[in-house]
Amino acid sequence: MVYLAQLKFKKAISYFNKSLVLSQQIGLVNEKRIALKSLFDTHVIQGNFEAAESEISEIIAMRMHDVNVNFVILPEQKKELYFNTMLDDFMDLYAFAELRKNEHPSITALAYNNALVLKGLLLKSATAMRDAIHGSGNANLIETYTKWIALKQEIANAYAKGSEYENLEKSANELEQELIKKSAAFSEYHTADDVDWKDIQTHLNPVKLQLSLYISTH
């Protein structure tokens, strides 16, 4: 960071890359994100936008994974507070999309899709979904949901510690598919993940689509 402040970009990038490699080897997720963010900032300053786009895309993928792991186990009042801890990264994506929209229009699709998913998740109530499942009286459904929540908590803990979590995610995804089939409330809650900007496009004329994009990313 000192080298970056001194505008010694080559040295800064060298150390950021070493940090990235080490964090991946050790399994430190937050440190990996910080290294990627540092590389992104440096490449934007240098005008190396292709490298910067790759880095911001990976950062956002990590953040979306964080959201998918943690949102369902967080109380409703904590979701917005949790999201605010990662807001700067999404703001970087939106600003970068604005910068690159003419040279690389597909970056705006990434920005818009993430905005749609995030706003959908923030508006939806996991509590309402949980209450609907527990109020169904279906013992098998409730048991499956309880196992899924426990797995989500295990995944969140393993992810935070840099431990292996892929097998846990596979098991959680299998339970998730069961829940989608068994519960309309659960299925409806998860439709936010399937929203795409093209779905919005089919319902809006060009002027309204541009307005929708502006509102979703500001």
Side-chain angles (χ1 to χ4, degrees):
M1 295 304 296
V2 171
Y3 282 129
L4 178 58
Q6 294 174 340
L7 304 182
K8 296 178 179 178
F9 300 124
K10 188 174 181 179
K11 285 189 175 182
I13 289 173
S14 175
Y15 278 104
F16 292 148
N17 278 320
K18 288 178 182 178
S19 176
L20 179 60
V21 170
L22 284 169
S23 64
Q24 290 172 322
Q25 290 175 342
I26 299 171
L28 298 177
V29 177
N30 192 52
E31 282 71 15
K32 177 183 176 181
R33 183 189 59 77
I34 292 171
L36 284 167
K37 175 67 165 61
S38 301
L39 284 166
F40 169 76
D41 289 340
T42 307
H43 285 137
V44 168
I45 293 170
Q46 287 185 301
N48 186 352
F49 296 135
E50 288 189 8
E53 184 169 335
S54 174
E55 287 143 8
I56 192 63
S57 296
E58 188 169 356
I59 290 168
I60 294 303
M62 292 174 70
R63 286 305 202 183
M64 290 304 295
H65 184 271
D66 291 343
V67 169
N68 288 328
V69 166
N70 291 296
F71 254 39
V72 74
I73 59 176
L74 284 173
E76 299 300 325
Q77 66 271 23
K78 298 285 182 68
K79 286 183 178 180
E80 190 166 354
L81 293 173
Y82 174 68
F83 176 68
N84 285 341
T85 66
M86 59 182 72
L87 186 59
D88 286 349
D89 289 334
F90 288 99
M91 291 300 104
D92 281 342
L93 171 63
Y94 301 148
F96 188 73
E98 176 68 20
L99 178 67
R100 290 279 285 162
K101 64 182 180 182
N102 294 324
E103 291 78 12
H104 195 185
S106 64
I107 190 68
T108 60
L110 175 65
Y112 194 20
N113 283 338
N114 276 283
L116 287 172
V117 171
L118 287 169
K119 291 204 172 184
L121 288 171
L122 284 168
L123 288 171
K124 286 192 172 185
S125 172
T127 301
M129 175 190 68
R130 182 195 64 212
D131 290 347
I133 289 174
H134 281 281
S136 68
N138 185 329
N140 183 261
L141 173 62
I142 295 169
E143 182 183 1
T144 303
Y145 176 76
T146 302
K147 288 180 180 178
W148 180 72
I149 287 292
L151 274 172
K152 282 290 190 179
Q153 186 66 65
E154 283 188 65
I155 292 167
N157 292 337
Y159 186 67
K161 294 175 182 177
S163 305
E164 293 292 328
Y165 59 87
E166 286 78 8
N167 288 334
L168 292 172
E169 278 200 332
K170 183 179 179 182
S171 298
N173 290 337
E174 290 172 357
L175 288 177
E176 192 169 298
Q177 291 306 310
E178 283 186 47
L179 288 166
I180 288 172
K181 292 176 183 177
K182 293 177 180 177
S183 169
F186 188 91
S187 179
E188 182 180 349
Y189 181 84
H190 281 270
T191 54
D193 296 341
D194 300 325
V195 177
D196 186 86
W197 72 271
K198 291 181 180 178
D199 299 327
I200 307 299
Q201 184 186 44
T202 59
H203 292 84
L204 297 175
N205 63 42
V207 174
K208 288 182 178 179
L209 180 60
Q210 289 298 318
L211 179 60
S212 176
L213 173 57
Y214 178 84
I215 292 172
S216 290
T217 55
H218 287 76

